[in-house]
């Protein structure tokens, strides 16, 4: 995940640029020192109801890794 591309889409103008600058700072993500975050998927639970795919993995930000679980909405394109 390219942390240099942080983009707050629900704000505009000065508030948007101020928040994005703050999120990139050492107060939050330290983007200058840690420009990349990684998501490593460890396993998936198969497709469930509503085309949702359950997964677990590790999310690493600023060199610190934490386990996560989540759901991904799978978009299926039939030819």
């Amino acid at each position: 995940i390219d942390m240099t591309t942080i983009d707050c889409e629900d704000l505009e103008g000065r508030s948007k640029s101020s928040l994005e600058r703050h999120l990139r700072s050492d107060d939050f993500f330290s983007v200058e020192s840690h420009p990349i975050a990684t998501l490593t998927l460890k396993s998936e639970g198969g497709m469930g109801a509503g085309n949702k795919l359950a997964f677990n993995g590790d999310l690493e930000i600023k060199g610190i890794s934490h386990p996560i679980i989540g759901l991904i909405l799978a978009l299926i394109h039939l030819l």
Side-chain angles (χ1 to χ4, degrees):
I1 304 165
D2 182 356
M3 299 299 285
T4 65
T5 64
I6 291 173
D7 181 23
C8 181
E9 296 182 357
D10 60 342
L11 293 176
E12 295 179 357
R14 193 173 186 177
S15 296
K16 174 183 170 61
S17 59
S18 178
L19 176 60
E20 290 171 353
R21 186 173 42 258
H22 191 57
L23 291 173
R24 289 184 186 105
S25 77
D26 290 340
D27 288 342
F28 282 91
F29 297 119
S30 300
V31 170
E32 192 171 309
S33 301
H34 304 278
I36 301 294
T38 59
L39 172 61
T40 304
L41 299 178
K42 296 171 109 180
S43 67
E44 53 91 10
M47 193 71 67
N51 292 334
K52 293 179 181 169
L53 180 68
F55 71 91
N56 72 52
D58 293 315
L59 178 61
E60 182 178 319
I61 299 174
K62 293 173 57 173
I64 302 167
S65 183
H66 291 280
I68 64 167
I69 57 172
L71 291 173
I72 298 173
L73 178 60
L75 301 175
I76 299 172
H77 179 72
L78 301 174
L79 296 176

